[in-house]
Amino acid sequence: MTTETGRAAPSTPPTPPTPRILGGEYVWITIGACALVFLGAFESLAVTTVMPAVSADLDGERLYALAFAGPLATSVIGMVAAGNWADRRGPVAPLYSSIALFVVGLLIAGLAPSMEVLVAGRFAQGLGSGGLMVALYVVVARVYPQALHPAIFAGFAAAWVIPSLIGPTIAGAVTELWSWHWVFLGVVVLVLVALLMIVPALRGLSNEGDAATPWAVARLGWSVLAAVAVLALNLVGDVPGVGPALAVVAVVVALIAVRPLVPRGTLRAVRGLPSVILVRGLAAAAFFGAQIYLPYLLTDRYALTPTVAGLALTGGALAWSLAATVQGRMGMRLSSVTAVRLGTALVLGGILLTVAITAFGADAVLIAAAWVVAGAGMGLMSPRSSALTLALSTPETQGFNSGAMTVADSFGSALALAVTSMVFLALAAADPFLGVFALAALLALAAAVLAPRVRAGTSAMGDGAKGSVA
């Protein structure tokens, strides 16, 4: 092509292709990272399925609850340690160490000759899984451009939800065909394969941290106290006479201990990052605090089989995955603030529908429909709250703030489950299910009311670096 003067017209440079999480340089780290999330979620759900068989085989009824409470408690310590380590030295060393701890825990549990040894392995799993998620969030911040954050977090959300569809079935089949030992040992090989996929993308990140960032010894101490409090919440509720009082004390201790583990102003819902962390914790508390009682309601009141009752959770999981995928495809066309506000509103709506259905004894199918609404809300809210957390962080605070986000998930869920357990027991003579769902609705209402405050204020960025009381 020439111009009127006979000179060649300058050619228009080709438009560079839009980066994708499954394209070019990101494909293998995306697959590997999502695989690690998937395997962590699968193991959590699989253990729930096989633990009765484990307990019977190892005569471990006395330690049955501790096998679940222990990993939740120790994961808090792993989250804080990995976040601080990542801020100092980058995410690679804490990621590798967390994976190693997770694998060691799997091996100990899979080869356990007694329930005591299995619980010790579960403690190591908790340390590893807590640190693993925090380190992966920092890897996302260092490897992917910000425009891809909604998409990769959608992948994480899907990787977490999909095991709820297949995990229990696979774990049950493995236990029946071989042994419950292989539910632990089989995952080891898959974790190592996922690790190989992400190694190439991590080679240049080894020293990308701020060595001047101090070791947060005090914060680690608070995380240990918080872990003890969370563990106590799962153990003291059944103590005759004083169980509820001890649970209240544990809640107070947990709230005091969690303050240094989250950005300044989190418990006061300061605008920006603190409110992002608080809203995420409240939404998780509402959703999981209600979800654990849905199968119980459907089997107890509607006389459904456990398999059929589980379909309600499957519907919510599918909605979560679909909503996470949709928001990921929309990218920056859907603002993260709007997604969080809409997501919390849907969670509230789904739980309110569950309250109404429970109160009026409506058809069980409506409960499944209500949980689809709540699941869709989590699918919108969860990935975008992760994206907002990184957007409001500096490179020096990505580890701390990622740790705070996962701590909010664990603490929100643990505290909600402890309190709903107390409510359920207190209302046993009336309508315990209605009381539990009403409490979850109050938590969801708080999340929806506070959701507009996730929009950043002038001082939101970097507050997490101080780790000061909230």
Side-chain angles (χ1 to χ4, degrees):
M1 179 179 177
T2 59
T3 64
E4 293 181 357
T5 61
R7 296 180 179 177
S11 59
T12 303
T15 303
T18 303
R20 297 180 298 113
I21 61 172
L22 289 175
E25 61 184 299
Y26 304 115
V27 59
W28 287 114
I29 189 171
T30 295
I31 295 174
C34 288
L36 288 173
V37 175
F38 175 90
L39 292 171
F42 173 85
E43 186 63 19
S44 176
L45 291 161
V47 169
T48 303
T49 302
V50 304
M51 192 55 71
V54 174
S55 179
D57 188 33
L58 300 180
D59 192 23
E61 289 82 1
R62 181 176 56 87
L63 298 177
Y64 186 91
L66 190 60
F68 293 101
L72 179 62
T74 57
S75 69
V76 176
I77 303 172
M79 293 169 190
V80 175
N84 189 204
W85 194 356
D87 286 338
R88 282 181 52 84
R89 296 294 185 184
V92 176
L95 178 61
Y96 287 161
S97 299
S98 297
I99 293 174
L101 274 172
F102 186 62
V103 169
V104 167
L106 289 170
L107 291 172
I108 293 174
L111 299 173
S114 67
M115 194 66 170
E116 289 80 5
V117 175
L118 183 134
V119 168
R122 296 283 287 153
F123 277 31
Q125 281 183 257
L127 280 170
S129 63
L132 171 64
M133 287 307 301
V134 172
L136 278 180
Y137 282 129
V138 181
V139 167
V140 168
R142 304 291 173 88
V143 172
Y144 296 86
Q146 186 172 345
L148 291 183
H149 287 178
I152 185 61
F153 285 129
F156 284 4
W160 186 262
V161 171
I162 291 173
S164 68
L165 308 178
I166 63 174
T169 301
I170 294 176
V174 168
T175 300
E176 292 179 13
L177 292 174
W178 295 291
S179 165
W180 62 262
H181 296 274
W182 287 104
V183 173
F184 296 96
L185 298 177
V187 174
V188 172
V189 177
L190 299 177
V191 169
L192 296 178
V193 172
L195 177 61
L196 292 176
M197 295 180 185
I198 66 174
V199 166
L202 300 179
R203 287 173 180 162
L205 300 180
S206 298
N207 296 313
E208 290 190 5
D210 183 3
T213 301
W215 285 110
V217 177
R219 200 154 67 229
L220 284 170
W222 283 113
S223 71
V224 172
L225 178 61
V228 172
V230 170
L231 186 58
L233 283 173
N234 291 271
L235 296 176
V236 301
D238 294 332
V239 177
V242 297
L246 291 176
V248 170
V249 172
V251 168
V252 173
V253 172
L255 289 175
I256 292 173
V258 78
R259 295 175 74 192
L261 308 182
V262 294
R264 181 191 298 272
T266 295
L267 300 185
R268 292 183 285 110
V270 171
R271 182 175 294 277
L273 178 62
S275 286
V276 174
I277 301 298
L278 180 60
V279 167
R280 183 181 175 108
L282 287 169
F287 185 83
F288 293 109
Q291 179 174 263
I292 195 172
Y293 288 96
L294 284 180
Y296 195 173
L297 170 69
L298 293 172
T299 55
D300 180 76
R301 184 166 296 179
Y302 292 88
L304 300 179
T305 65
T307 301
V308 175
L311 292 177
L313 305 187
T314 299
L318 286 172
W320 185 327
S321 181
L322 179 60
T325 301
V326 169
Q327 68 79 33
R329 291 184 178 277
M330 293 184 71
M332 304 309 291
R333 290 175 293 167
L334 174 67
S335 76
S336 293
V337 173
T338 299
V340 170
R341 296 178 66 174
L342 179 58
T344 53
L346 288 173
V347 172
L348 174 60
I351 295 177
L352 286 175
L353 286 172
T354 305
V355 171
I357 294 164
T358 304
F360 294 104
D363 195 281
V365 173
L366 296 178
I367 293 179
W371 214 241
V372 166
V373 174
M378 291 298 290
L380 280 176
M381 187 282 305
S382 183
R384 289 309 181 99
S385 62
S386 299
L388 276 171
T389 298
L390 292 184
L392 296 173
S393 302
T394 64
E396 294 76 22
T397 61
Q398 288 166 349
F400 174 85
N401 292 336
S402 296
M405 181 172 53
T406 52
V407 165
D409 285 340
S410 294
F411 268 94
S413 300
L415 292 176
L417 292 175
V419 177
T420 52
S421 176
M422 295 168 58
V423 170
F424 193 87
L425 293 174
L427 298 178
D431 191 340
F433 295 107
L434 185 59
V436 164
F437 296 142
L439 175 60
L442 288 175
L443 294 171
L445 176 62
V449 169
L450 295 174
R453 298 186 63 80
V454 301
R455 188 179 299 276
T458 56
S459 62
M461 184 175 291
D463 282 346
K466 301 174 183 177
S468 54
V469 294

